[in-house]
Amino acid sequence: MTILVDTAPLVALCKSRDEKHDSAVRDLRSIVRNEFCVCDSVLSEACFHLPYDNQRRRLRSLLENLGAKSIPVESEMTFRAEVFDWLTKYADHEPDWADACLAVLSGRDRRARVWTYDREFRTTWRRPDGSAIPLAIKSA
């Protein structure tokens, strides 16, 4: 199974004082045998939340140890349009670009699961076709 990783788990794994750190470590142990993918928008957010060199080195090491792959997008312009459409649909909930990317990517790869701690993935947001976004971790 492919795991699309959101920002919060990455940040929590790289910051031992993060409130989700223990959960993220426990959750990672339960899904570690899967293929991990991280999109550029998630990496951008993670670097924003991990501003120090040692934190970014931990992030790099984590991604390397997981064998995390970047997510290829066939047509960047088509993908971008789908993300903007998704953002417009959920504008009342003020989603960010990374979450929109994960929702759209989840719709493109039906076998993918999203590892997130964002409540909206469980309660509100859907794939572009309206189906639920499958989660790698059921409770958060």
Side-chain angles (χ1 to χ4, degrees):
M1 164 176 34
T2 300
I3 307 292
L4 304 173
V5 186
D6 196 7
T7 306
L10 292 177
V11 171
L13 289 167
C14 294
K15 283 174 101 171
S16 59
R17 292 184 179 171
D18 187 281
E19 67 181 34
K20 293 278 188 193
H21 178 77
D22 292 341
S23 296
V25 170
R26 184 178 51 253
D27 293 341
L28 177 60
R29 287 187 186 125
S30 73
I31 59 175
V32 74
R33 297 189 189 273
N34 293 286
E35 176 183 65
F36 292 86
C37 294
V38 180
C39 62
D40 287 345
S41 57
V42 166
L43 283 179
S44 294
E45 279 189 351
C47 285
F48 175 81
H49 292 288
L50 300 168
Y52 302 109
D53 181 58
N54 65 330
Q55 294 171 331
R56 290 180 178 179
R57 280 189 275 120
R58 275 188 230 127
L59 176 61
R60 180 180 182 169
S61 179
L62 172 66
L63 295 173
E64 288 172 355
N65 289 334
L66 291 175
K69 299 175 181 169
S70 55
I71 303 167
V73 176
E74 282 184 31
S75 168
E76 185 69 30
M77 291 190 62
T78 301
F79 177 71
R80 191 178 309 136
E82 289 176 41
V83 172
F84 275 117
D85 289 345
W86 190 92
L87 285 168
T88 298
K89 182 175 183 174
Y90 291 96
D92 291 349
H93 300 279
E94 300 179 358
D96 62 37
W97 184 262
D99 291 340
C101 288
L102 291 171
V104 170
L105 289 166
S106 168
R108 286 180 165 205
D109 181 352
R110 306 299 290 179
R111 298 166 297 146
R113 303 289 179 262
V114 175
W115 182 14
T116 185
Y117 296 128
D118 290 356
R119 174 178 48 83
E120 293 86 356
F121 278 95
R122 291 189 313 278
T123 61
T124 307
W125 297 336
R126 301 288 179 255
R127 290 173 165 163
D129 69 1
S131 63
I133 297 170
L135 302 178
I137 303 298
K138 298 299 179 192
S139 62

